[in-house]
Structures are given as structure tokens and as C-alpha cells.
Amino acid sequence: MTIADAAAKGHEISLNGFGKFMMTRSTARESRNHSTGPTTQLAASKRLGFASAKSAEAQAEWLTFTMRRQFGVRIGKPDGGAERAHAAGACI
């Protein structure tokens, strides 16, 4: 059984340290095409939702910080280091 199958049956799937998957519902609503102007009716639907664990969010922040340090992107601009790194294509 896959995560999508279990969630479709109404189960909430939790993976410790990563996050949880669950089915979410959206109500029927009107949508408007901003380019042409007409409105259309969108039907109610279900979709697979995900909420990340706090530890996964913290790890992602740490990884981003580490990668930025590795490529020379600096916080602050005392010597223009951030501009040089950005110009060299080292920004993430």
C-alpha cells in the first residue's frame, strides 16, 4: 500500500522526523481568469497534503546556511562579498 492509497482511505501517515501526509478537502468556489476576465466554477476536490516536521525544517535551514557558506555568499556587505559571489553565479 502506498502513502497515496492510505491517505485516500482517510488515514494520516506520519513519518517521524520528516512530516505527515493527509487528505485535505477544498470547497467548490469561483475562479477568475485575470487575463480575459470571465469567471468559472471550480468543483470541490480532495488532494494529498503534507506538513513537515519541525526537525526537518531546522535541518533544511542548516543545510541552506551551510551551502551558502560553502559558496562564499556572505550575510551583510562590509566588503561587497555578497555582490561578488552573486555576480560569479554562486548564489543558491
Side-chain angles (χ1 to χ4, degrees), residues 1-87:
M1 181 180 290
T2 65
I3 290 175
D5 293 338
K9 292 181 180 179
H11 302 291
E12 187 173 283
I13 300 89
S14 180
L15 303 173
N16 290 336
F18 183 68
K20 62 182 176 179
F21 295 90
M22 72 297 258
M23 288 303 289
T24 59
R25 296 175 189 250
S26 65
T27 59
R29 61 188 171 91
E30 272 192 6
S31 176
R32 188 169 76 86
N33 183 333
H34 295 286
S35 300
T36 59
T39 60
T40 58
Q41 188 68 23
L42 298 177
S45 64
K46 295 189 294 184
R47 64 176 176 255
L48 185 62
F50 177 75
S52 63
K54 296 293 181 193
S55 59
E57 291 174 7
Q59 191 171 9
E61 286 179 28
W62 174 84
L63 181 61
T64 301
F65 175 76
T66 303
M67 293 298 288
R68 286 184 176 165
R69 258 187 46 209
Q70 182 178 356
F71 288 112
V73 177
R74 299 191 182 149
I75 298 170
K77 304 178 204 172
D79 64 345
E83 287 85 6
R84 281 198 308 274
H86 184 54

